[in-house]
Amino acid sequence: MRYSIQNPESYIKSNLIGFANILEVCRNFKILHLTYASTSSVYGANTKQPFKESHNVDHPLQLYAATKRSNELMAHSYSNLFNLPTTGLRFFTVYGPWGRPDMALFIFTKNILENKFIKIFNKGNHIRDFTYIDDIVDGVIKANDEKVKKNNNWNPKVDDPSNSRSPFKIYNIGNSKPVSLMKYIGLIEKYLGKKAKKKYLNLQKGDVPKTLSDISKIKKNLKYNPKTSVEVGVKNFINWYVKFYKK
């Protein structure tokens, strides 16, 4: 859904104004630390993997990524102008119970149970750094608890752009263990006990074939360590979905 936006102008305005309002509230109420969601999609046209926070993110491939990158830039401006500590978290393909129903895992599960076709883009050749929600939450808490301070020794010519002399940081949060889309679908079928009807399609415009996170920075700084394998994560989701939507 994030790729086929019906009203791009309205989408961009609502996202940027919404985040600007959050920054203004933080400034006016002297919030001690703003931790906000960014996305792995900001890496866009970059093909160097694994994706590192130090990589170029100036070529987003869709509006969702562009607005998230804009949020990062606005956060840095507030960190610089108003000494507001901010941390942006670039999430990698979050999945699990209580997620968004427009995401692939929900759609695949629902359609398989209802004997409908599932759309498989890029002919099934996608590879994703699937990250279970419990690991994401652990990373968010660790990042939020960190005291983000100014670094007067930071040098923009040689240092990582995900840091700054302002109280500003960016972290990847992923599992760093990429999984093929077809294996992911196979696990859904396994735990549902039912085969999917598959419709193979071309690469969706604005999408990337593979994502893989470098999480060395958040591991080193915050002792982040994802623990949930995709096998366990998908099984947990299916158990929750069947129970939650049982009629």
Side-chain angles (χ1 to χ4, degrees), residues 66-167:
T67 57
K68 290 297 188 182
R69 178 56 180 152
S70 298
N71 290 349
E72 293 178 355
L73 296 173
M74 287 193 290
H76 184 270
S77 297
Y78 270 72
S79 294
N80 179 62
L81 292 172
F82 308 113
N83 198 34
L84 170 65
T86 65
T87 300
L89 304 176
R90 292 173 179 168
F91 296 147
F92 280 74
T93 316
V94 184
Y95 74 102
W98 302 100
R100 280 169 40 196
D102 63 319
M103 298 298 282
L105 182 54
F106 274 80
I107 293 172
F108 288 165
T109 301
K110 183 175 186 292
N111 284 8
I112 291 171
L113 288 173
E114 295 178 358
N115 295 312
K116 297 178 180 178
F117 280 95
I118 62 172
K119 295 179 180 180
I120 304 175
F121 290 98
N122 196 30
K123 308 292 186 180
N125 293 315
H126 276 315
I127 296 175
R128 287 288 179 268
D129 193 347
F130 293 103
T131 313
Y132 190 64
I133 184 61
D134 288 7
D135 293 322
I136 291 289
V137 170
D138 179 57
V140 170
I141 293 171
K142 283 179 164 63
N144 195 58
D145 287 344
E146 184 183 25
K147 295 187 183 302
V148 181
K149 300 178 180 179
K150 290 183 177 181
N151 179 8
N152 293 323
N153 295 320
W154 183 79
N155 185 343
K157 293 182 179 180
V158 297
D159 287 340
D160 184 347
S162 66
N163 297 318
S164 173
R165 65 171 55 94
S166 304

